[in-house]
Structure formats: C-alpha cells, structure tokens
Amino acid sequence: MVETARQFLGRDDVDSVEAILADDSIDFGDLVHPTPARGEAIFTWDYERSRPGLAKLYEKAKTSQWNGSTDLDWSTPVDPERVALEMAPAAAMFQQRMAELPGSPVARWGPKEWTQFQVEALNWRMSQFLHGEQGALICTAKIVATTPWIDAKYYAATQVMDEARHVEVFSRYLDTKLEGHYPVNPALQLLIDDIIGDSRWDMTYMGMQIMVEGLALAAFGFMHHVTEEPLLKKLLRYVMADEARHVAFGVLSLQEYYAGLGAAELRERQEFAFEAALRMRDRLMMHRVWETMGVDRRTVTEFLLGMRRMRNNPFQAALFSKIVPNCKKLGLLDAGDGWLRDRFTDIGVIQFEDAADTGEEYESFDEVAKDRAAG
Ligand SMILES: [Fe+2]
Ligand SMILES: [Fe+2]
C-alpha cells in the first residue's frame, strides 16, 4: 500500500477513480497551451571539458544527425489498418482477459470492433508520441539554459535539434499516412507541465530523459519490432538511435549529481519518479480511444484499476523496462529504505530492475553510420 503520510499527485488515494477522471477532463486548449517555466538560466565561466562521458556523447551526436525529409522515403504507400493490426497479437491476451471478466464493457466485441480499436489505438499512440516529442523539445531547450555544466549544455543543444526532427517526422507521418489525430493525453501533459514548472535543474532530466524518454524508447522498440511497414520501421529505428543517446545523457548526468545528494534530497527524487510513473500508468488507460469506441471513461477506469492493470498486462508493464533499471543505476531504487523499490513493486513493474539499462546502449544504436557504411 502507498503511504498516507504524503499525498501523491495531490490525491488522497492514487487509485482514486474520481481523481483520475478529474485530471482526464482538463482542457489543454485548442491551439496553444501556456505553462509556467521555472528555474534559473545558469551562465558558467568554467569552459573546461571535464566530463569525458558527456563529451563523447556530444561527438557521437554531431556525426549521427539525419534529415527527416531526405533520409526517409515519404512516397511509401501506407495502409493504416494493416499497420494497426500488426500490434494486435501482443494485445490479444489482455483483450481476451478483459472480454472474459464479469461485467466487461467489451464482452460483445467481435473482430470488427477489435480492428477498429487497434486503428484508433495506433492513431492515439502516434499522436502521444508527437506531443511527447514536443515536450522533449521544450524540456531540452530548458536544460541548455539551466544545467550548470558546459559539456551538458553542448550535448543538450544537439538534443534540441534531434527533438525538432522527431516532432517533424511524427507530425508528417500522422498527417500524410494515418487517418486521425488525438489531442495530448492529460496525464502526459500534466507530467510535462510538472517537469517544466520545477525549478530544480536535475528534475528536467529526471522527468524527461529518465521517465518520459525511457518509456518512449521501450514503446518505439516494441513498435519497431512488430511493424513491417518500411517507412515507419526506418523512422522508428532512426528515432530510437537518437533516444538511446538522450536516455544515456540523463543517466550520465544524474549519476554524477545524485552521488552528491543527501537522503532527504534523494527521497524527493524518488517521489518525483513515482509520481511520474503514476502519470504514465494513467496515460496508458487511453481513455479517449475507449470513448471513441463507445465505452465511457468511468466504466473503463474502474474496470482497468480493478484488474490491477499493469500486473495483469505484461505488454503495458514492459513499457517500464527501461525506466526501472535506469532508476536502479541512479541509486534511486534502493536509496533510503528502498522506498521506490516498494512503490514499483506495488504498481507491478519491479521485475525489470535488471533489464539492460541505457547508459551505454546508444553505442549499438548508430543507425546513421550503419546506413552510410552500407551505401
Ligand atoms: Fe525524441
Ligand atoms: Fe528524446
């Protein structure tokens, strides 16, 4: 059980259906969403290149740039339904379990409904990738300003360019290859707003590079593994090569910084990580997709929480397969009395603690160099 001494996400109970529904109905605007950015822009007069790990990553980033308009073949014809159905086998076990439970809102669904669900889920997923990429673009620009280290400012500047390219290619894929966009998921945007609104410079890394990008890397990896659509496959392969560097940037920077923090400060980081994980759990409920399919939000929220969802859905839990080992590598899992370990056990994702972390993974992800070498 979650402690009651401190509220998480401002909720008395993190599993409160009312609280989840309240967050879920927040309007983030039709055209723009202004949110306060906090923190100080730090000028450093120490131009010494004293962080070889970051310097190496920066060199790698400079030679791994690619061009979203010329390195991808946008003339490739795409059948959205076919792409959507490629995701179906992984979700089948969860769907079957969901259909069999008493009172299930999907008990009567046949192949036609599940196909439509997959098409909507693909549109939703790709839309959230797009919005998340914009979050990364803005967060990384913030890191350029707020990090006190020159090597980190250099590296973060390359990530700003990477994220602009990611927004560009996801937007183009949604506009020209799929049939349907979704607005940002409120749980995702609330998390991004929290990250931008936090004045502590390391929290931008923690929220974006470790949590949001850790989840994205796992999700891209899954989609890349199952899809046969050549444009999407190459797009994801290239984006993942960049994302692996981004997560490594977070791990390298925070390992150094967290080694110097005391127990109370580490606890604050653990709590931030836990709240971010809850936001992502709420996000993965995909309320708007269920609504499009005629299942109301309250029904699906109660239903999914009742299933102890992630524990019963290995496909969803696997999205935490990068986050948990990276938290372990940062010392956050076991700091203090192992507080975060207990929380991750509670939400059913601790089994990934020894999965490959992302500290050095980017070395094996150099897609641009591989393709150039292959001509
Ligand atoms: Fe990205
Ligand atoms: Fe990224």
Side-chain angles (χ1 to χ4, degrees):
M1 281 301 293
V2 171
E3 293 171 3
T4 49
R6 184 193 180 286
Q7 280 194 333
F8 293 99
L9 306 179
R11 300 173 185 172
D12 290 328
D13 169 9
V14 294
D15 292 338
S16 160
V17 173
E18 298 309 323
I20 292 171
L21 292 178
D23 285 349
D24 201 33
S25 56
I26 297 172
D27 180 1
F28 288 98
D30 287 334
L31 200 55
V32 293
H33 164 60
T35 192
R38 296 189 188 85
E40 291 181 318
I42 305 288
F43 285 75
T44 175
W45 312 128
D46 178 8
Y47 294 101
E48 197 68 42
R49 306 297 302 277
S50 54
R51 292 180 171 81
L54 292 180
K56 189 174 152 205
L57 206 54
Y58 176 51
E59 290 304 316
K60 185 82 168 179
K62 286 192 282 186
T63 56
S64 303
Q65 295 292 310
W66 48 281
N67 185 335
S69 23
T70 55
D71 284 323
L72 299 174
D73 180 3
W74 292 99
S75 69
T76 309
V78 175
D79 174 357
E81 187 173 306
R82 197 166 157 188
V83 177
L85 287 177
E86 290 171 333
M87 320 288 161
M93 196 173 81
F94 169 71
Q95 290 169 359
Q96 193 186 350
R97 197 175 277 156
M98 196 167 168
E100 284 167 355
L101 283 171
S104 172
V106 298
R108 290 165 193 274
W109 282 18
K112 185 167 150 277
E113 286 80 8
W114 282 117
T115 297
Q116 197 194 335
F117 175 82
Q118 289 298 350
V119 169
E120 294 302 328
L122 174 66
N123 290 337
W124 181 90
R125 236 176 250 129
M126 294 292 280
S127 298
Q128 302 320 315
F129 289 162
L130 169 68
H131 304 311
E133 293 294 355
Q134 187 185 173
L137 172 65
I138 290 175
C139 283
T140 318
K142 186 186 170 193
I143 289 177
V144 173
T146 57
T147 181
W149 305 335
I150 197 69
D151 284 309
K153 288 184 189 292
Y154 289 165
Y155 178 77
T158 69
Q159 190 179 336
V160 174
M161 183 61 220
D162 292 349
E163 305 300 2
R165 183 168 57 239
H166 298 174
V167 177
E168 174 201 342
V169 297
F170 278 110
S171 179
R172 186 163 177 183
Y173 196 90
L174 273 155
D175 282 345
T176 63
K177 305 298 176 188
L178 300 181
E179 289 149 5
H181 291 58
Y182 278 83
V184 70
N185 172 267
L188 172 61
Q189 190 60 46
L190 285 167
L191 172 56
I192 293 172
D193 285 2
D194 274 353
I195 295 167
I196 294 167
D198 201 300
S199 61
R200 296 163 291 187
W201 66 268
D202 65 293
M203 291 301 200
T204 321
Y205 284 90
M206 182 64 204
M208 182 49 65
Q209 267 83 351
I210 303 300
M211 304 303 289
V212 177
E213 298 193 298
L215 185 133
L217 193 52
F220 295 156
F222 166 74
M223 205 182 258
H224 174 261
H225 181 70
V226 300
T227 191
E228 297 293 334
E229 196 285 275
L231 171 59
L232 181 60
K233 206 172 181 75
K234 187 170 181 187
L235 183 159
L236 289 168
R237 191 159 63 87
Y238 272 47
V239 169
M240 281 166 65
D242 294 343
E243 296 300 345
R245 283 195 307 276
H246 304 169
V247 182
F249 176 48
V251 172
L252 279 173
S253 305
L254 294 184
Q255 259 183 326
E256 176 180 339
Y257 186 63
Y258 288 178
L261 292 187
E265 291 161 314
L266 281 176
R267 170 60 75 87
E268 288 174 12
R269 274 71 188 173
Q270 290 178 306
E271 291 179 351
F272 191 94
F274 177 54
E275 290 198 321
L278 289 171
R279 289 280 188 222
M280 290 189 287
R281 176 203 66 174
D282 291 355
R283 162 192 175 186
L284 293 171
M285 291 186 191
M286 300 200 300
H287 285 157
R288 290 292 289 259
V289 173
W290 293 104
E291 258 179 355
T292 303
M293 295 299 297
V295 180
D296 76 68
R297 283 190 275 170
R298 179 177 298 274
T299 305
V300 83
T301 305
E302 286 171 354
F303 195 79
L304 293 173
L305 285 172
M307 283 179 75
R308 299 292 300 162
R309 185 159 189 272
M310 291 201 289
R311 205 166 292 160
N312 278 316
N313 189 354
F315 169 57
Q316 297 287 13
L319 292 173
F320 285 78
S321 62
K322 302 288 178 198
I323 291 172
V324 183
N326 285 332
C327 284
K328 186 174 189 176
K329 194 163 186 181
L330 295 178
L332 288 180
L333 219 47
D334 292 304
D337 51 1
W339 184 88
L340 189 60
R341 168 181 297 282
D342 292 345
R343 301 288 82 72
F344 279 172
T345 302
D346 195 49
I347 63 171
V349 297
I350 195 66
Q351 62 272 30
F352 298 108
E353 65 170 304
D354 295 317
D357 66 63
T358 322
E360 296 293 332
E361 199 176 42
Y362 71 90
E363 301 269 23
S364 60
F365 267 89
D366 195 351
E367 302 307 328
V368 174
K370 278 183 214 161
D371 284 359
R372 280 180 192 149

